[in-house]
Amino acid sequence: MALDPSTAAQDDIATLRSRIDTIDTEIGRLVVERRGHSHRIQRIRLDGGGTRTQLERENEVLARYTERLGSAGTSLAHLLLTICRGALPSAGRGTVAAATGERRA
């Protein structure tokens, strides 16, 4: 039998969903910002003759997410690292603005 939530419950659900939508938007913005910083670090490392990634650093990131969120955190960290490792932008080489797709006035 389906539950017929009261108007108050429906209002609570709508408010909570709105907050989740706001959080999701902020998470997306932060991932884009993180990717920009990551791309800049990768570019600096490559320009200096180093490697694009540093396994020790990635393991630190994985450990932090795993500690906080368990095995799902490990999966999330892997996805985040993959997103932030993507193709480096070529225009405006090495700038955060180029890496994040920000426009300059």
Side-chain angles (χ1 to χ4, degrees):
M1 191 158 66
L3 295 176
D4 185 17
S6 68
T7 303
Q10 290 175 350
D11 289 346
D12 286 346
I13 290 169
T15 298
L16 293 168
R17 284 182 176 161
S18 176
R19 181 64 184 133
I20 287 171
D21 291 345
T22 300
I23 291 168
D24 287 344
T25 298
E26 184 66 6
I27 289 170
R29 186 195 66 74
L30 289 169
V31 169
V32 169
E33 180 181 344
R34 186 191 194 288
R35 182 178 59 201
H37 295 307
S38 179
H39 283 183
R40 181 152 189 242
I41 290 167
Q42 291 172 60
R43 177 56 57 204
I44 290 167
R45 291 173 57 79
L46 288 171
D47 288 350
T51 60
R52 184 172 174 178
T53 59
Q54 187 177 24
L55 186 57
E56 182 179 327
R57 171 66 180 159
E58 291 195 359
N59 285 333
E60 290 171 4
V61 172
L62 288 166
R64 262 198 325 266
Y65 276 82
T66 302
E67 181 181 325
R68 181 123 193 216
L69 302 171
S71 62
T74 306
S75 298
L76 179 60
H78 277 291
L79 288 170
L80 188 58
L81 289 167
T82 299
I83 289 168
C84 293
R85 224 187 269 124
L88 296 178
S90 56
R93 194 172 138 141
T95 66
V96 173
T100 60
E102 295 173 15
R103 293 187 180 148
R104 295 185 183 182

